[in-house]
Each structure stands twice: as C-alpha cells, then as structure tokens.
Amino acid sequence: MAESIVRAHAMEAGLDGLVAWDSAGTGPWHEGDGADHRAIAVLTDHDYEQDHIARQFQPAWFADLDLVIALDSGHLRELRALAPTPRDAAKVRLLRDYDPDADRDAPGGLDVPDPYFGGTDDFEEVLEMIEAASGGLLDAVAEALEADGTHLPNEERV
C-alpha cells in the first residue's frame, strides 16, 4: 500500500521521474504474489493504482538506494541488520518519522501496524497513516534533491 500511495503523492508533487519507488518485504512470505485483495479494494476506493508483486529485500540493493523506508520498528531493526555498512544502516528510516502529528508515545509508537490479520477497517487505518506521513517524506526527498542540485519542475515543493 505504501508504495502506491507515496508514488501517487510524488507524482502530484512533481517528483515523477526524479525518484524511483519500490517495495519489498523483509521475508519471503507471499513472494511472487500480488497484493492482498483487501489492500487492493482500499487502494481502489481511494483512487490509488497498484501493481504490487511481493518480493524479499536484498542487502545488495543498499548500494543503489538513498533511502529505505520501514513501516514498523521490527522491520527497521531487520533492515538495519541486513545493511552491509553503518552508512547503509543509516539509510533506513521509519515512515511515520515523517508524520509531524504521529504520537511517538502512543502504544505502537511510530509503527504502521500490519493489517493482514485484520479487516478492511485495519487497511483503512494503515492507508490513513501512510497518507499522513507521505507529505513529510516527500518534503525530505525534495530537500535532498535540491541539496544535490536537482531542479524541481516549476519550483514545486511538496
């Protein structure tokens, strides 16, 4: 869900073509499968496109990535442990770190819960969390692009 939502918001912000977005899990579960039917339904209800095929994150990918987003603290630890260098480990951040309204002290902290064992309402809640963090994430990406000398189309800011 996160890839579809962030990709759509990035396109609206004029970052399409400047940033590559991709998605992978920390384990081999459902590898080769499409997205959960409930995720597809919720994304479709909110006018997001998706074409997800599950695959597992590979440590070798760190060399080509500037930022790796984890949805929960367990995945954050797993991804940082996979990182070949401390510099690569520092590339891993929690998505909700970018949500200025996220309550770090709430139960679950900055984790986006896995809705897989829940119902449609759980997928809706996850969508809202991802949307809430998308603006801050895209602001950070735009700032990094500008710092590297990339000219954003029409001087658009996220």
Side-chain angles (χ1 to χ4, degrees), residues 12-24:
E12 291 170 9
L15 297 175
D16 191 39
L18 297 174
V19 179
W21 305 97
D22 208 344
S23 177

Side-chain angles (χ1 to χ4, degrees), residues 6-7 12 15 17 32-33 56 62 70 76 86 99 108 115 120 122 145-146 149:
V6 173
R7 183 186 305 273
E12 291 170 9
L15 297 175
D33 294 344
Q56 185 173 358
F62 274 106
L76 180 78
D99 179 353
T120 302
D122 298 295
L145 288 169
E146 289 174 350

Side-chain angles (χ1 to χ4, degrees), residues 56-107:
Q56 185 173 358
F57 186 90
Q58 301 299 313
W61 297 350
F62 274 106
D64 296 323
L65 300 173
D66 296 312
L67 182 63
V68 177
I69 299 296
L71 295 186
D72 67 38
S73 53
H75 294 146
L76 180 78
R77 282 189 301 277
E78 289 178 56
L79 288 164
R80 285 182 174 165
L82 289 174
T85 69
R87 184 172 185 259
D88 289 326
K91 295 176 182 179
V92 185
R93 300 282 310 269
L94 277 173
L95 176 63
R96 292 194 68 210
D97 278 337
Y98 298 97
D99 179 353
D101 297 323
D103 183 357
R104 291 170 167 12
D105 298 324

Side-chain angles (χ1 to χ4, degrees), residues 122-135:
D122 298 295
F123 284 83
E124 289 281 351
E125 178 184 5
V126 164
L127 180 133
E128 290 172 12
M129 289 178 172
I130 296 167
E131 286 181 330
S134 292

